[in-house]
Short mmCIF file of all heavy atoms in Angstrom, two decimals:
data_model
loop_
_atom_site.label_atom_id
_atom_site.label_comp_id
_atom_site.label_asym_id
_atom_site.label_seq_id
_atom_site.Cartn_x
_atom_site.Cartn_y
_atom_site.Cartn_z
N GLY A 3 2.11 -13.75 -22.91
CA GLY A 3 2.27 -12.47 -23.59
C GLY A 3 1.62 -11.32 -22.85
O GLY A 3 2.21 -10.25 -22.70
N TYR A 6 3.55 -10.42 -19.61
CA TYR A 6 4.82 -9.77 -19.90
C TYR A 6 4.59 -8.34 -20.41
O TYR A 6 5.22 -7.39 -19.92
CB TYR A 6 5.58 -10.59 -20.96
CG TYR A 6 6.92 -10.00 -21.30
CD1 TYR A 6 8.02 -10.23 -20.47
CD2 TYR A 6 7.10 -9.20 -22.42
CE1 TYR A 6 9.26 -9.67 -20.76
CE2 TYR A 6 8.32 -8.63 -22.72
CZ TYR A 6 9.40 -8.88 -21.89
OH TYR A 6 10.62 -8.32 -22.16
N MET A 7 3.67 -8.20 -21.36
CA MET A 7 3.44 -6.88 -21.94
C MET A 7 2.85 -5.91 -20.90
O MET A 7 3.22 -4.74 -20.86
CB MET A 7 2.54 -6.98 -23.16
CG MET A 7 3.29 -7.59 -24.35
SD MET A 7 2.24 -7.99 -25.74
CE MET A 7 1.74 -6.37 -26.28
N GLN A 10 5.67 -4.82 -18.72
CA GLN A 10 6.53 -3.86 -19.41
C GLN A 10 5.85 -2.48 -19.48
O GLN A 10 6.51 -1.46 -19.33
CB GLN A 10 6.85 -4.36 -20.83
CG GLN A 10 7.73 -5.59 -20.87
CD GLN A 10 9.08 -5.33 -20.23
OE1 GLN A 10 9.74 -4.35 -20.50
NE2 GLN A 10 9.48 -6.23 -19.34
N HIS A 11 4.55 -2.50 -19.70
CA HIS A 11 3.81 -1.23 -19.80
C HIS A 11 3.88 -0.48 -18.47
O HIS A 11 4.17 0.73 -18.44
CB HIS A 11 2.35 -1.52 -20.18
CG HIS A 11 1.56 -0.27 -20.49
ND1 HIS A 11 0.81 0.36 -19.55
CD2 HIS A 11 1.45 0.46 -21.63
CE1 HIS A 11 0.25 1.43 -20.09
NE2 HIS A 11 0.62 1.51 -21.36
N ARG A 13 6.08 -0.86 -16.15
CA ARG A 13 7.47 -0.50 -15.87
C ARG A 13 7.87 0.74 -16.65
O ARG A 13 8.55 1.63 -16.14
CB ARG A 13 8.37 -1.68 -16.26
CG ARG A 13 9.62 -1.79 -15.41
CD ARG A 13 10.46 -2.93 -15.89
NE ARG A 13 11.59 -2.40 -16.63
CZ ARG A 13 12.47 -3.14 -17.26
NH1 ARG A 13 12.36 -4.44 -17.27
NH2 ARG A 13 13.48 -2.60 -17.88
N PHE A 14 7.43 0.79 -17.92
CA PHE A 14 7.83 1.93 -18.76
C PHE A 14 7.18 3.22 -18.26
O PHE A 14 7.84 4.25 -18.20
CB PHE A 14 7.41 1.64 -20.21
CG PHE A 14 7.92 2.68 -21.18
CD1 PHE A 14 9.24 2.64 -21.61
CD2 PHE A 14 7.10 3.69 -21.64
CE1 PHE A 14 9.73 3.60 -22.49
CE2 PHE A 14 7.58 4.65 -22.52
CZ PHE A 14 8.91 4.60 -22.95
N PHE A 15 5.91 3.12 -17.88
CA PHE A 15 5.23 4.32 -17.37
C PHE A 15 5.26 4.27 -15.84
O PHE A 15 4.22 4.15 -15.17
CB PHE A 15 3.79 4.39 -17.90
CG PHE A 15 3.74 4.52 -19.40
CD1 PHE A 15 3.42 3.44 -20.20
CD2 PHE A 15 4.04 5.73 -20.02
CE1 PHE A 15 3.38 3.55 -21.57
CE2 PHE A 15 4.00 5.85 -21.40
CZ PHE A 15 3.68 4.75 -22.18
N ARG A 324 -4.54 4.78 -26.02
CA ARG A 324 -3.81 3.62 -26.52
C ARG A 324 -4.48 2.99 -27.75
O ARG A 324 -4.09 1.91 -28.17
CB ARG A 324 -3.69 2.57 -25.41
CG ARG A 324 -2.82 3.04 -24.27
CD ARG A 324 -2.81 2.05 -23.14
NE ARG A 324 -2.10 0.83 -23.50
CZ ARG A 324 -1.95 -0.20 -22.67
NH1 ARG A 324 -2.44 -0.13 -21.45
NH2 ARG A 324 -1.30 -1.28 -23.06
N GLU A 327 -2.20 1.89 -30.51
CA GLU A 327 -1.40 0.72 -30.10
C GLU A 327 -2.26 -0.54 -30.14
O GLU A 327 -1.83 -1.59 -30.66
CB GLU A 327 -0.86 0.97 -28.68
CG GLU A 327 -0.23 -0.24 -28.06
CD GLU A 327 -0.32 -0.23 -26.52
OE1 GLU A 327 -0.34 0.86 -25.94
OE2 GLU A 327 -0.40 -1.32 -25.94
N THR A 330 -3.02 -1.62 -33.61
CA THR A 330 -1.88 -2.30 -34.24
C THR A 330 -1.82 -3.76 -33.81
O THR A 330 -1.66 -4.67 -34.63
CB THR A 330 -0.55 -1.61 -33.81
OG1 THR A 330 -0.60 -0.26 -34.23
CG2 THR A 330 0.65 -2.30 -34.41
N ILE A 331 -1.98 -3.95 -32.49
CA ILE A 331 -1.93 -5.32 -31.96
C ILE A 331 -3.02 -6.18 -32.61
O ILE A 331 -2.79 -7.31 -33.01
CB ILE A 331 -2.10 -5.29 -30.42
CG1 ILE A 331 -0.87 -4.65 -29.77
CG2 ILE A 331 -2.30 -6.69 -29.87
CD1 ILE A 331 -0.99 -4.45 -28.28
N ARG A 332 -4.21 -5.59 -32.75
CA ARG A 332 -5.30 -6.36 -33.34
C ARG A 332 -5.07 -6.57 -34.83
O ARG A 332 -5.40 -7.63 -35.38
CB ARG A 332 -6.62 -5.62 -33.11
CG ARG A 332 -7.03 -5.64 -31.63
CD ARG A 332 -8.46 -5.23 -31.46
NE ARG A 332 -9.33 -6.20 -32.10
CZ ARG A 332 -10.53 -5.91 -32.57
NH1 ARG A 332 -10.99 -4.68 -32.51
NH2 ARG A 332 -11.27 -6.84 -33.13
N HIS A 333 -4.50 -5.56 -35.47
CA HIS A 333 -4.25 -5.69 -36.91
C HIS A 333 -3.26 -6.83 -37.18
O HIS A 333 -3.40 -7.59 -38.13
CB HIS A 333 -3.68 -4.37 -37.45
CG HIS A 333 -3.86 -4.22 -38.92
ND1 HIS A 333 -4.89 -3.50 -39.47
CD2 HIS A 333 -3.16 -4.73 -39.96
CE1 HIS A 333 -4.82 -3.56 -40.78
NE2 HIS A 333 -3.76 -4.30 -41.11
N ILE A 334 -2.28 -6.92 -36.31
CA ILE A 334 -1.27 -7.99 -36.50
C ILE A 334 -1.90 -9.36 -36.28
O ILE A 334 -1.48 -10.35 -36.89
CB ILE A 334 -0.08 -7.77 -35.53
CG1 ILE A 334 0.71 -6.54 -35.97
CG2 ILE A 334 0.83 -8.98 -35.48
CD1 ILE A 334 1.81 -6.12 -35.02
N GLY A 335 -2.94 -9.43 -35.46
CA GLY A 335 -3.61 -10.72 -35.32
C GLY A 335 -4.12 -11.04 -33.93
O GLY A 335 -4.62 -12.14 -33.70
N ALA A 336 -3.98 -10.10 -33.00
CA ALA A 336 -4.49 -10.37 -31.65
C ALA A 336 -6.01 -10.18 -31.62
O ALA A 336 -6.55 -9.40 -32.41
CB ALA A 336 -3.84 -9.44 -30.64
N SER A 337 -6.66 -10.89 -30.72
CA SER A 337 -8.11 -10.75 -30.61
C SER A 337 -8.45 -9.53 -29.74
O SER A 337 -7.59 -9.02 -29.02
CB SER A 337 -8.69 -12.00 -29.96
OG SER A 337 -8.16 -12.15 -28.66
N PHE A 340 -7.71 -10.30 -26.29
CA PHE A 340 -6.32 -10.13 -25.87
C PHE A 340 -6.09 -8.71 -25.35
O PHE A 340 -5.46 -8.51 -24.31
CB PHE A 340 -5.38 -10.43 -27.04
CG PHE A 340 -3.91 -10.29 -26.69
CD1 PHE A 340 -3.17 -11.38 -26.27
CD2 PHE A 340 -3.28 -9.04 -26.76
CE1 PHE A 340 -1.83 -11.24 -25.91
CE2 PHE A 340 -1.95 -8.89 -26.41
CZ PHE A 340 -1.22 -10.00 -25.99
N LEU A 344 -5.09 -7.63 -21.72
CA LEU A 344 -3.87 -6.85 -21.48
C LEU A 344 -4.15 -5.71 -20.50
O LEU A 344 -3.43 -5.53 -19.51
CB LEU A 344 -3.35 -6.30 -22.81
CG LEU A 344 -2.10 -5.44 -22.76
CD1 LEU A 344 -0.91 -6.25 -22.29
CD2 LEU A 344 -1.79 -4.83 -24.14
N LYS B 46 -5.95 -4.42 -47.05
CA LYS B 46 -6.75 -5.00 -45.96
C LYS B 46 -7.56 -6.19 -46.46
O LYS B 46 -7.77 -7.17 -45.72
CB LYS B 46 -7.67 -3.95 -45.35
CG LYS B 46 -6.93 -2.96 -44.46
CD LYS B 46 -7.88 -2.01 -43.76
CE LYS B 46 -7.13 -1.16 -42.74
NZ LYS B 46 -7.99 -0.16 -42.11
N ALA B 51 -8.40 -8.42 -43.17
CA ALA B 51 -8.86 -7.43 -42.19
C ALA B 51 -10.20 -6.84 -42.64
O ALA B 51 -10.98 -6.36 -41.82
CB ALA B 51 -7.83 -6.33 -42.03
N ARG B 75 -7.71 -14.21 -37.77
CA ARG B 75 -6.65 -13.61 -36.94
C ARG B 75 -5.40 -14.48 -36.96
O ARG B 75 -4.28 -13.98 -37.07
CB ARG B 75 -7.15 -13.42 -35.50
CG ARG B 75 -7.99 -12.17 -35.32
CD ARG B 75 -8.26 -11.86 -33.87
NE ARG B 75 -9.30 -12.68 -33.30
CZ ARG B 75 -9.11 -13.69 -32.46
NH1 ARG B 75 -7.89 -14.00 -32.09
NH2 ARG B 75 -10.12 -14.37 -31.99
N ARG B 78 -3.63 -14.02 -40.23
CA ARG B 78 -2.84 -12.78 -40.29
C ARG B 78 -1.57 -12.91 -39.44
O ARG B 78 -0.49 -12.51 -39.85
CB ARG B 78 -3.66 -11.59 -39.76
CG ARG B 78 -4.70 -11.10 -40.71
CD ARG B 78 -5.01 -9.63 -40.49
NE ARG B 78 -5.50 -9.35 -39.15
CZ ARG B 78 -6.76 -9.48 -38.78
NH1 ARG B 78 -7.65 -9.89 -39.65
NH2 ARG B 78 -7.12 -9.21 -37.56
N LEU B 79 -1.76 -13.50 -38.27
CA LEU B 79 -0.65 -13.59 -37.32
C LEU B 79 0.48 -14.46 -37.86
O LEU B 79 1.66 -14.13 -37.71
CB LEU B 79 -1.19 -14.18 -36.01
CG LEU B 79 -0.41 -13.97 -34.73
CD1 LEU B 79 -0.10 -12.51 -34.48
CD2 LEU B 79 -1.22 -14.52 -33.54
N PHE B 84 3.25 -7.32 -41.34
CA PHE B 84 2.78 -5.96 -41.64
C PHE B 84 3.86 -4.93 -41.35
O PHE B 84 4.54 -5.00 -40.32
CB PHE B 84 1.56 -5.61 -40.77
CG PHE B 84 0.33 -6.40 -41.10
CD1 PHE B 84 0.05 -7.57 -40.41
CD2 PHE B 84 -0.55 -5.99 -42.09
CE1 PHE B 84 -1.09 -8.30 -40.69
CE2 PHE B 84 -1.68 -6.72 -42.38
CZ PHE B 84 -1.96 -7.89 -41.69
N PHE B 86 3.82 -0.69 -41.19
CA PHE B 86 2.90 0.45 -41.27
C PHE B 86 3.66 1.75 -41.53
O PHE B 86 4.84 1.87 -41.20
CB PHE B 86 2.11 0.58 -39.96
CG PHE B 86 1.36 -0.67 -39.58
CD1 PHE B 86 1.92 -1.58 -38.69
CD2 PHE B 86 0.12 -0.94 -40.12
CE1 PHE B 86 1.23 -2.73 -38.33
CE2 PHE B 86 -0.57 -2.09 -39.76
CZ PHE B 86 -0.01 -2.99 -38.87
N ALA B 90 4.19 2.10 -35.98
CA ALA B 90 3.32 1.36 -35.06
C ALA B 90 4.10 0.45 -34.14
O ALA B 90 3.74 -0.71 -33.91
CB ALA B 90 2.28 0.57 -35.86
N LEU B 92 5.44 -0.39 -30.29
CA LEU B 92 4.91 -0.15 -28.95
C LEU B 92 6.00 0.55 -28.13
O LEU B 92 7.09 0.03 -27.95
CB LEU B 92 4.51 -1.46 -28.27
CG LEU B 92 3.52 -2.34 -29.05
CD1 LEU B 92 2.92 -3.40 -28.14
CD2 LEU B 92 2.40 -1.52 -29.66
N ASP B 93 5.66 1.75 -27.65
CA ASP B 93 6.65 2.59 -26.95
C ASP B 93 7.27 1.90 -25.74
O ASP B 93 8.40 2.16 -25.38
CB ASP B 93 5.98 3.89 -26.46
CG ASP B 93 5.68 4.81 -27.60
OD1 ASP B 93 6.29 4.62 -28.67
OD2 ASP B 93 4.83 5.71 -27.44
N TYR B 94 6.46 1.05 -25.08
CA TYR B 94 6.91 0.48 -23.81
C TYR B 94 7.68 -0.83 -23.96
O TYR B 94 8.07 -1.43 -22.96
CB TYR B 94 5.72 0.29 -22.85
CG TYR B 94 4.60 -0.55 -23.41
CD1 TYR B 94 4.58 -1.93 -23.24
CD2 TYR B 94 3.54 0.05 -24.06
CE1 TYR B 94 3.54 -2.69 -23.73
CE2 TYR B 94 2.49 -0.70 -24.57
CZ TYR B 94 2.50 -2.07 -24.40
OH TYR B 94 1.47 -2.82 -24.89
N LEU B 95 7.84 -1.27 -25.22
CA LEU B 95 8.65 -2.47 -25.45
C LEU B 95 9.96 -2.03 -26.10
O LEU B 95 9.96 -1.16 -26.96
CB LEU B 95 7.92 -3.45 -26.36
CG LEU B 95 6.61 -4.05 -25.84
CD1 LEU B 95 6.05 -5.03 -26.86
CD2 LEU B 95 6.81 -4.75 -24.50
N ASP B 99 11.82 -6.71 -27.91
CA ASP B 99 10.44 -7.14 -27.66
C ASP B 99 9.49 -6.69 -28.76
O ASP B 99 8.50 -7.35 -29.04
CB ASP B 99 9.97 -6.62 -26.30
CG ASP B 99 10.63 -7.38 -25.15
OD1 ASP B 99 10.98 -8.55 -25.37
OD2 ASP B 99 10.79 -6.80 -24.06
N LEU B 103 7.09 -9.13 -31.06
CA LEU B 103 5.67 -8.94 -30.73
C LEU B 103 4.76 -10.03 -31.33
O LEU B 103 3.91 -10.57 -30.61
CB LEU B 103 5.22 -7.55 -31.17
CG LEU B 103 3.76 -7.21 -30.84
CD1 LEU B 103 3.52 -7.17 -29.34
CD2 LEU B 103 3.37 -5.86 -31.45
N PRO B 104 4.92 -10.39 -32.62
CA PRO B 104 4.01 -11.43 -33.15
C PRO B 104 4.11 -12.74 -32.36
O PRO B 104 3.11 -13.44 -32.19
CB PRO B 104 4.52 -11.62 -34.59
CG PRO B 104 5.18 -10.34 -34.93
CD PRO B 104 5.81 -9.86 -33.66
N ARG B 106 4.83 -12.91 -29.13
CA ARG B 106 4.11 -12.68 -27.88
C ARG B 106 2.59 -12.78 -28.09
O ARG B 106 1.86 -13.14 -27.19
CB ARG B 106 4.41 -11.27 -27.35
CG ARG B 106 5.84 -11.05 -26.96
CD ARG B 106 6.04 -11.26 -25.48
NE ARG B 106 7.43 -11.05 -25.12
CZ ARG B 106 8.10 -11.79 -24.26
NH1 ARG B 106 7.52 -12.80 -23.66
NH2 ARG B 106 9.35 -11.52 -23.98
N LEU B 107 2.16 -12.42 -29.31
CA LEU B 107 0.72 -12.47 -29.58
C LEU B 107 0.28 -13.87 -29.97
O LEU B 107 -0.93 -14.10 -30.19
CB LEU B 107 0.37 -11.49 -30.70
CG LEU B 107 0.66 -10.01 -30.40
CD1 LEU B 107 0.23 -9.13 -31.58
CD2 LEU B 107 -0.06 -9.55 -29.15
N TYR B 136 14.54 1.78 -26.40
CA TYR B 136 13.10 1.94 -26.65
C TYR B 136 12.89 2.78 -27.91
O TYR B 136 13.74 3.61 -28.25
CB TYR B 136 12.43 2.59 -25.43
CG TYR B 136 12.34 1.62 -24.28
CD1 TYR B 136 13.40 1.49 -23.38
CD2 TYR B 136 11.23 0.79 -24.13
CE1 TYR B 136 13.33 0.57 -22.34
CE2 TYR B 136 11.16 -0.13 -23.10
CZ TYR B 136 12.21 -0.24 -22.21
OH TYR B 136 12.15 -1.16 -21.20
N GLN B 138 11.37 5.39 -28.77
CA GLN B 138 11.48 6.85 -28.75
C GLN B 138 12.92 7.33 -28.87
O GLN B 138 13.16 8.50 -29.19
CB GLN B 138 10.85 7.40 -27.48
CG GLN B 138 9.33 7.35 -27.54
CD GLN B 138 8.69 7.71 -26.22
OE1 GLN B 138 9.35 7.67 -25.18
NE2 GLN B 138 7.42 8.05 -26.25
N ARG B 152 10.06 -6.88 -37.31
CA ARG B 152 8.86 -7.44 -36.67
C ARG B 152 7.99 -8.13 -37.71
O ARG B 152 7.40 -9.18 -37.44
CB ARG B 152 8.07 -6.31 -35.99
CG ARG B 152 6.80 -6.78 -35.31
CD ARG B 152 6.04 -5.64 -34.67
NE ARG B 152 5.52 -4.71 -35.68
CZ ARG B 152 4.95 -3.54 -35.40
NH1 ARG B 152 4.85 -3.14 -34.14
NH2 ARG B 152 4.51 -2.76 -36.35
#
Side-chain angles (χ1 to χ4, degrees):
Chain A
Y6 181 81
M7 287 171 68
Q10 292 299 312
H11 188 266
R13 211 182 104 185
F14 187 79
F15 297 104
R324 294 175 69 180
E327 170 208 331
T330 300
I331 292 174
R332 291 194 64 207
H333 201 98
I334 290 173
S337 62
F340 180 93
L344 179 64
Chain B
K46 285 186 173 176
R75 279 191 281 105
R78 285 207 300 276
L79 200 54
F84 292 93
F86 304 96
L92 306 195
D93 288 341
Y94 56 89
L95 296 181
D99 287 333
L103 182 64
R106 295 264 180 220
L107 298 181
Y136 288 87
Q138 285 172 341
R152 179 181 66 188

